[in-house]
Amino acid sequence: MQRTLRQNISLEGIGLHSGKPSKVTLAPAPVDSGIVFRRKTNGHIETCQASIRNLRPMELCTTIGSNGFQIQTTEHVLSALWGMHINNAYIDIDSEEVPAMDGSAAPFVEMIHAAGMVSQERPRTFLKIVKPLHVGDHRRGVSILPSTTSKITYSIDYDHTLIQQQTYEYEWSPKAFQDKIAEARTFAFSHEVEALWARGLGQGGSLDNTIVFSESGLLNDQGLRFPDECVRHKVLDLIGDLALLGVPVIGHVFADRSGHFLHNQLVQMILDNPDTWILVGAQHTKWAALSNGSLHGKKTPHPVALSANSAA
Ligand SMILES: [Zn+2]
């Protein structure tokens, strides 16, 4: 069944890029809502669906916007909701950036547990991949292949003694997400950090919310949470970016030295190629129109765009 939160819960911190204070409240949402950002401005509520069609070009973080407002660095809170199998939720925010917290998704997972999760009265719809898709080139890329379950295999390769080649295999489940992925933090290299600041990015970045690698070691006193924390964080980011599909995907994603740009391209390519997937469980929802073939061959709207509670 679809899931949402039992009650509202709030958290405050600062934005990684803006450096400004930010408060988010996660709130229950009706069936088929998907994940929707909301912000109150001058007494009225602006909304923005967490959807690839609302993606805004932005370096280093996933930014979405519509109806005149945009939210930066959405990927970690989206990853927490998607990783914990929450299909429907409102994310109320009072600023332009989701707070960085400790640079991982763990604080958002704690919020979800504190709020509680409830099953709703309608089954989930899944997007099942039936033909492979690939974006990227010979150096970096991301593919999705048909599979009976939802899996991610992520590989990275950095010329740094503490990273080098790492591969992580992830099978989707709330328990695996919570135990193995949620705590992995954002990482950066010290030579990049000053360049970021010079360009006005990373203003809220610190060793409290980012792993910073120096030329031969690590600036964080506490060390790493996992020896392969970097590749686990890449899986975390990918899960957050896949949330922009609007429905959970059944397929095996292979990512090699990838990042947000390619993740987002893959999501767009999936939606642009409806002959590569079928919707499972869609007969229960307004998404049925997508799976009966009537929209094949056309640029396919985001599945959530057809739902009754779409914010679009
Ligand atoms: Zn990240």
Side-chain angles (χ1 to χ4, degrees):
M1 304 307 283
Q2 296 183 30
R3 296 213 293 180
T4 189
L5 299 158
R6 188 178 297 280
Q7 60 184 16
N8 290 13
I9 186 143
S10 302
L11 161 157
E12 290 176 60
I14 57 160
L16 182 68
H17 292 296
S18 66
K20 292 182 184 152
S22 172
K23 177 180 173 184
V24 289
T25 301
L26 302 183
V31 286
D32 295 344
S33 301
I35 313 290
V36 182
F37 285 90
R38 299 191 298 193
R39 190 170 60 202
K40 209 183 243 179
T41 307
N42 301 327
H44 89 278
I45 295 173
E46 300 166 308
T47 62
C48 180
Q49 189 86 38
S51 158
I52 192 75
R53 71 199 151 81
N54 291 328
L55 187 73
R56 296 286 175 270
M58 188 71 79
E59 274 181 287
L60 304 172
C61 66
T62 300
T63 298
I64 59 167
S66 71
N67 305 323
F69 97 100
Q70 72 173 32
I71 313 104
Q72 260 186 298
T73 321
T74 58
E75 61 269 24
H76 299 167
V77 69
L78 290 178
S79 183
L81 290 164
W82 221 234
M84 297 303 287
H85 291 184
I86 299 290
N87 308 89
N88 304 305
Y90 294 119
I91 306 174
D92 293 328
I93 184 159
D94 68 353
S95 75
E96 297 215 330
E97 188 174 13
V98 176
M101 309 316 294
D102 68 351
S104 79
F108 301 113
V109 170
E110 279 171 34
M111 280 177 93
I112 292 166
H113 277 299
M117 292 168 271
V118 285
S119 290
Q120 296 175 287
E121 63 272 25
R122 203 169 286 172
R124 289 195 281 169
T125 298
F126 294 88
L127 188 154
K128 187 172 183 350
I129 296 292
V130 294
K131 286 185 201 166
L133 286 167
H134 174 78
V135 293
D137 56 29
H138 65 283
R139 289 173 301 124
R140 54 193 72 236
V142 53
S143 311
I144 188 160
L145 272 61
S147 168
T148 52
T149 58
S150 303
K151 283 190 226 171
I152 293 173
T153 301
Y154 214 119
S155 300
I156 58 173
D157 188 358
Y158 286 89
D159 185 16
H160 189 284
T161 48
L162 292 175
I163 313 178
Q164 298 182 327
Q165 285 190 345
Q166 298 179 355
T167 295
Y168 195 85
E169 301 225 4
Y170 176 71
E171 294 246 10
W172 286 66
S173 79
K175 182 163 175 28
F177 182 81
Q178 183 179 305
D179 294 348
K180 306 206 156 85
I181 300 298
E183 286 181 52
R185 294 162 295 171
T186 302
F187 60 96
F189 297 91
S190 54
H191 65 269
E192 291 173 348
V193 171
E194 284 191 21
L196 281 180
W197 287 340
R199 293 166 55 213
L201 294 167
Q203 297 291 316
S206 73
L207 296 178
D208 293 331
N209 56 31
T210 310
I211 303 166
V212 181
F213 293 99
S214 60
E215 211 161 288
S216 57
L218 188 64
L219 299 187
N220 310 62
D221 290 337
Q222 309 293 324
L224 294 171
R225 292 177 176 175
F226 309 95
D228 57 354
E229 188 166 357
C230 294
V231 73
R232 290 180 194 233
H233 187 79
K234 287 291 202 173
V235 172
L236 188 160
D237 279 342
L238 175 57
I239 292 169
D241 290 334
L242 287 172
L244 299 181
L245 261 177
V247 283
V249 69
I250 300 174
H252 192 163
V253 181
F254 289 87
D256 186 16
R257 287 165 283 186
S258 188
H260 291 302
F261 181 75
L262 288 174
H263 301 164
N264 294 330
Q265 276 198 330
L266 180 73
V267 169
Q268 187 64 58
M269 186 182 263
I270 292 170
L271 292 176
D272 287 346
N273 290 279
D275 59 323
T276 63
W277 45 266
I278 53 170
L279 289 179
V280 180
Q283 67 272 22
H284 300 289
T285 74
K286 297 190 177 190
W287 300 331
L290 273 175
S291 58
N292 70 14
S294 62
L295 292 167
H296 284 202
K298 295 178 191 166
K299 191 163 168 81
T300 308
H302 186 272
V304 169
L306 300 179
S307 81
N309 298 299
S310 171

